[in-house]
Amino acid sequence: MLIKSSQDGFYHPVASEITSQRVYTGRRDLIKLMASGVAGAALASWASREARAQTPRPGKLAALPHVKSDVAGAVTLEKLTDYKDASSYNNFYEFGTDKSDPARHAHTLKTSAWTVEIEGLVKKPARYALEDLLKLSAQEERIYRLRCVEGWSMVIPWVGYSLSELIKKVEPLGNAKYVEFVTLADPKTMPFVGSRVLDWPYVEGLRLDEAMHPLTLLSFGMYGELLPNQNGAPVRLVVPWKYGFKSAKSLVKIRFTDQQPATAWSKAAPNEYGFFSNVNPSVDHPRWSQASERRIGEDGLFAKKRKTLMFNGYETQVGQLYAGMDLKKLF
Ligand code: MTE
């Protein structure tokens, strides 16, 4: 994020994850995916319908069954970012610091036999297999803006369900105030873990009421398909009113606590990245303005920047969470 990039010494050209993908049919992908053991059970009932439909989809990954959703007015009428841009211009520091690094390197991420552990201040701690997590609630497609702290944004149709569905199942105890999200840090498959850029694993956190807000999405897919590795497969968070770094990728643990979690970016640069990190055009980053943004895909030489909106445009839905708080201090 704030780091000057070109220190990656690793370059493994990948038989393109992206360019060849349009040639695949959904059925073939699904069979492949099921053979790999990921999400097989959850997707099985979808298989015959998918085989019949065979509509061209943006990627090469298996379709994720979903219903369209307009939870709390989350759908924007803006043009969607191209799948190619959304899956090739990424921040996923475990795979390098250049925007193109995750798409080039994240093929090494192993998403089979994935589990997510729920622990801490809950009545029902559990370890969920991904297949069970996929089935826990209906998958919905939600079009959210994601605004990165670096000044760019995208509009992406995410697929998942409100994190609150999972939280209700595990029953937080009365003293649980925060939720900590821990992501995979596997130096064998993630070449940049071990670099000193961040204190690994990448950890994020939300206040419990933020985590329970219906907009907070536990996401398994985008553009109707499973998440590409570089976008945080097999399961990530999307918190659309906060800067993109709050949307932790490749989750392995969700912990309920009574203390505000120490997050990776606030540990790395506490004066630059606060715990809340709500999108706020009137609170500048110490080194740059946050008043405007560049929409990925609209970036010709003379393209006009867009004005950044308070809470990334989700103020009516989430503003009340911060009533009475000084958002300049609690940035
Ligand atoms: N999650 C992990 N585990 N590692 C990361 O480096 N980067 C964050 C966030 N989640 C990051 C992460 C940042 S800075 C952004 S802007 C978003 O992921 C980018 O998500 P996208 O690549 O799907 O657009």
Side-chain angles (χ1 to χ4, degrees):
M1 221 146 55
L2 74 174
I3 314 291
K4 288 186 203 81
S5 39
S6 56
Q7 68 252 54
D8 75 303
F10 43 89
Y11 179 74
H12 324 280
V14 180
S16 177
E17 298 257 307
I18 296 155
T19 50
S20 65
Q21 56 202 2
R22 282 178 180 78
V23 303
Y24 289 89
T25 66
R27 177 141 186 250
R28 217 147 130 208
D29 301 333
L30 187 69
I31 290 163
K32 235 195 301 172
L33 185 93
M34 289 168 78
S36 76
V38 183
L43 292 171
S45 64
W46 179 251
S48 57
R49 200 140 52 102
E50 173 64 12
R52 277 200 307 278
Q54 300 223 348
T55 44
R57 291 180 291 97
K60 68 170 187 178
L61 301 171
L64 188 57
H66 59 270
V67 293
K68 303 257 179 213
S69 155
D70 184 16
V71 61
V75 172
T76 89
L77 296 174
E78 294 166 292
K79 185 175 170 292
L80 295 183
T81 300
D82 280 354
Y83 178 87
K84 194 162 182 291
D85 288 330
S87 59
S88 61
Y89 190 89
N90 302 102
N91 275 334
F92 199 170
Y93 272 25
E94 289 83 337
F95 295 100
T97 52
D98 280 349
K99 302 291 174 247
S100 59
D101 281 340
R104 283 195 284 133
H105 302 306
H107 61 101
T108 54
L109 177 69
K110 280 203 178 62
T111 56
S112 54
W114 194 277
T115 60
V116 177
E117 196 159 354
I118 316 287
E119 60 175 43
L121 302 174
V122 284
K123 221 187 217 167
K124 297 180 176 164
R127 182 190 286 263
Y128 280 92
L130 182 70
E131 302 80 277
D132 298 329
L133 212 52
L134 271 160
K135 286 184 292 185
L136 187 121
S137 187
Q139 298 284 341
E140 298 176 358
E141 179 179 85
R142 301 199 192 153
I143 298 172
Y144 284 169
R145 286 181 214 98
L146 193 66
R147 200 310 191 162
C148 186
V149 72
E150 296 163 322
W152 48 268
S153 60
M154 301 197 194
V155 179
I156 294 180
W158 301 100
V159 182
Y161 52 76
S162 291
L163 176 67
S164 63
E165 298 296 328
L166 171 62
I167 296 180
K168 281 184 269 175
K169 283 263 187 307
V170 298
E171 300 183 29
L173 300 176
N175 55 343
K177 299 268 179 311
Y178 295 92
V179 190
E180 182 178 76
F181 302 91
V182 183
T183 75
L184 184 70
D186 175 13
K188 286 197 226 88
T189 55
M190 300 173 131
F192 228 69
V193 166
S195 75
R196 296 214 303 248
V197 178
L198 287 173
D199 186 7
W200 309 100
Y202 191 102
V203 169
E204 258 311 330
L206 294 172
R207 231 172 37 193
L208 183 57
D209 59 343
E210 298 177 317
M212 285 295 291
H213 192 282
L215 283 183
T216 302
L217 188 72
L218 193 63
S219 175
F220 303 86
M222 59 185 220
Y223 300 82
E225 301 176 359
L226 295 179
L227 286 170
N229 287 358
Q230 59 270 32
N231 290 87
V235 54
R236 69 174 291 173
L237 214 56
V238 188
V239 193
W241 71 95
K242 292 180 179 279
Y243 291 118
F245 63 89
K246 299 295 287 181
S247 295
K249 295 175 167 180
S250 304
L251 297 171
V252 291
K253 203 173 273 187
I254 300 178
R255 183 184 293 135
F256 291 74
T257 68
D258 53 2
Q259 304 286 321
Q260 185 172 295
T263 64
W265 282 107
S266 61
K267 278 201 276 180
N271 57 328
E272 302 193 6
Y273 305 109
F275 176 76
F276 287 96
S277 291
N278 293 313
V279 174
N280 189 339
S282 60
V283 177
D284 290 340
H285 183 280
R287 290 186 283 133
W288 58 80
S289 161
Q290 291 292 16
S292 63
E293 67 202 51
R294 184 169 67 88
R295 179 64 50 82
I296 297 299
E298 290 181 352
D299 42 5
L301 202 52
F302 303 106
K304 264 179 85 182
K305 284 192 157 192
R306 292 167 177 257
K307 275 169 96 171
T308 290
L309 302 171
M310 187 63 198
F311 295 113
N312 202 22
Y314 300 99
E315 185 167 13
T316 34
Q317 294 99 315
V318 301
Q320 76 286 356
L321 293 174
Y322 309 101
M325 277 173 58
D326 180 347
L327 298 178
K328 285 204 158 69
K329 283 204 185 106
L330 296 165
F331 60 90

